[in-house]
């Protein structure tokens, strides 16, 4: 060891690189899984089928995700979780309306709806909220906090989840019409009218 080498430097664990082949495999597996689910529902998801479509060894998929349920949870979190910051239109109603439109745009696509329905089964056997739903709640919490900072009347987070998020997801899951931005705007109007309280 060189005199200039810090003590213990050769004992440090190797740095795990993000990206490269690992990222390409993950992206290919996620795409393959999402395609299979969109084509035939979550019941079509199996490690061998995903591996074959992704062009990877099944052992690689098993080693990383364990089983189809673990893969479904990860794919759902990746594809359905919001990747953009919460909308900032300058008003609470505008922010909630834009949030609802963004959310509908994700969960009403063929892939999004199939993933959403598949995730319901995962939620029944999982402890705590899914990362996907936690991210949605985090967006709404940020919207409400921004309203509070402006001094605008606003509902609580629980009220927003109960009277905006839950009805949107339920209508989409059960294929109840309407499940569009007009319906979402009605929910937002009712929420703000009945539950917005001074900060």
């Amino acid at each position: 060891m060189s005199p200039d080498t810090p003590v213990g430097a050769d004992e440090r664990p190797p740095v795990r690189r993000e990206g490269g082949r690992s990222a390409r495999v993950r992206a290919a597996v996620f795409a393959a899984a999402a395609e299979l689910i969109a084509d035939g529902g979550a019941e079509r998801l199996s490690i061998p089928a995903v591996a074959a479509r992704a062009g990877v060894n099944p052992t690689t998929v098993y080693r990383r995700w364990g089983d189809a349920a673990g893969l479904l949870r990860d794919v759902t979190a990746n594809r359905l979780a919001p990747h953009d910051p919460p909308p900032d239109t300058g008003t609470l109603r505008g922010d909630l309306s834009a949030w609802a439109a963004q959310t509908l745009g994700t969960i009403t696509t063929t892939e999004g709806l199939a993933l959403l329905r598949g995730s319901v089964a995962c939620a029944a056997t999982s402890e705590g909220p899914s990362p996907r739903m936690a991210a949605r709640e985090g967006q709404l919490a940020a919207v409400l906090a921004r309203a509070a900072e402006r001094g605008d009347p606003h509902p609580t987070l629980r009220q927003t989840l109960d009277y905006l998020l839950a009805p949107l997801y339920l209508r989409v899951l059960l294929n109840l019409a309407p499940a569009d931005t007009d319906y979402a705007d009605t929910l937002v109007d009712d929420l703000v009218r009945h539950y917005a309280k001074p900060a």
Side-chain angles (χ1 to χ4, degrees), residues 20-195:
R21 182 178 182 280
S22 179
R24 289 194 298 272
V25 167
R26 185 172 183 265
V29 168
F30 277 6
E35 289 168 6
L36 285 169
I37 294 168
D39 288 346
E43 61 273 12
R44 284 199 60 186
L45 192 68
S46 70
I47 298 300
V50 170
R53 181 168 292 210
V56 301
N57 193 305
T59 303
T60 300
V61 185
Y62 280 116
R63 185 168 58 245
R64 183 155 188 171
W65 286 280
D67 55 22
L71 177 58
L72 177 60
R73 282 191 292 271
D74 209 4
V75 171
T76 301
N78 176 267
R79 304 292 258 215
L80 295 185
H83 298 288
D84 297 320
D88 186 0
T89 66
T91 67
L92 174 63
R93 191 199 177 287
D95 289 354
L96 292 175
S97 181
W99 176 90
Q102 285 181 358
T103 301
L104 283 172
T106 299
I107 65 176
T108 56
T109 63
T110 301
E111 176 187 296
L113 180 56
L115 287 169
L116 184 61
R117 287 175 172 162
S119 71
V120 171
C122 287
T125 58
S126 300
E127 295 182 3
S130 69
R132 166 182 51 82
M133 293 308 296
R136 293 283 179 204
E137 290 183 24
Q139 281 194 319
L140 288 172
V143 166
L144 298 177
R146 191 185 300 132
E149 290 172 1
R150 291 193 302 259
D152 295 343
H154 59 279
T156 65
L157 177 59
R158 181 171 181 176
Q159 289 166 340
T160 307
L161 297 176
D162 287 348
Y163 297 104
L164 177 57
L165 183 148
L168 276 183
Y169 272 79
L170 186 63
R171 278 196 173 263
V172 172
L173 278 168
L174 298 182
N175 197 27
L176 299 175
D180 53 21
T181 54
D182 288 340
Y183 172 69
D185 285 343
T186 299
L187 292 177
V188 171
D189 286 340
D190 289 345
L191 175 66
V192 172
R193 182 183 306 113
H194 295 295
Y195 297 101

